[in-house]
Amino acid sequence: MNKKYPFDPSLKHHFIIAFGLAIWIFVFLYFTEPLDVSEFQKSEKLIYLPLYGLLGAFCYLVFLPIQNYIHKKNDQNWFVKSEILFFLIFILVSIVIARIFYLYVIVLGEQNPYTLWYHLKTVLIPAFSTILPIIIFGRFAFGKYKIKQTEAQKIEIKGEGNYEGLRLFFKDVVCIQSSDNYVEVFYLSGTELKKSLIRNKLSVLADEFPQLLRTHRSYLINPFHFSQWKTANSKLFVLLSHHIEVPVSRTYQKDVKTVLNSTTI
């Protein structure tokens, strides 16, 4: 239940799913003609059946604010339990709205409308059996596509030989410190600061990622995380996010000041 599930928060893609859902509901009702749909005139089908499709799309879209809230509350993560919650709410809301539409639009003023159980058994449950796979596939496909796009935007800090590296967004890298034959990478995971030891040389990473700024023979920093300057005992330091203090040697002071002062203008 707490396993991550492919998810795309893009409203544009969810509107595409809702639009596809509306068309699918119309096609399903038009060609299968469940219950009294076959008794409609052609003109009536073109009036009422698209409305059913729009209702289905509305039932999907009405959950999006709640979905957005859950996604933010989970630190931009989406889980299997989140997806199950979405479908439970979608099904419940859809049943209520479809029932109201049937009673107060389709059979308004007519005697002996179908009972709720009969309506569920003969129309709504068969409809859900064809509708839900479409939604599941659409949401999963967009989710996987989002993951693929996200991974493509990450950089890889590799280790030598068989040593494991890191795949991160560049903006999440705070700084890299040399440590003998290793480098210690300080990075953000959500709002939490983490660090990882990787067997590599700082000079190699400096060449590989020129967007990182050399401040000292033992440090590379990400200018994105620059907070302020600090001077102590005639030595210059930069303060980065999460209160990380990095020394600036005389060799690199001019270049560091030029870059960091330009980023704060």
Side-chain angles (χ1 to χ4, degrees), residues 4 71-77 154 167-174 186-195 224-225 241-242:
K4 286 188 178 181
H71 187 236
K72 287 183 177 179
K73 187 178 179 181
N74 290 332
D75 295 326
Q76 310 299 319
N77 291 312
K154 291 182 177 180
R167 285 187 62 84
L168 302 165
F169 290 113
F170 176 73
K171 66 180 180 63
D172 289 336
V173 179
V174 179
F186 294 79
Y187 63 97
L188 298 180
S189 178
T191 58
E192 184 181 356
L193 179 69
K194 293 187 176 182
K195 55 184 178 179
F224 178 81
H225 291 281
S241 57
H242 288 73

Side-chain angles (χ1 to χ4, degrees), residues 126-165:
F128 280 125
S129 68
T130 61
I131 290 170
L132 291 183
I134 301 297
I135 302 176
I136 292 171
F137 175 79
R139 289 172 63 87
F140 185 82
F142 276 126
K144 294 294 286 186
Y145 177 70
K146 176 66 175 178
I147 291 174
K148 186 176 180 180
Q149 278 191 320
T150 299
E151 287 299 316
Q153 295 171 2
K154 291 182 177 180
I155 63 171
E156 184 175 9
I157 301 176
K158 298 178 181 178
E160 293 180 350
N162 295 324
Y163 288 84
E164 187 176 349

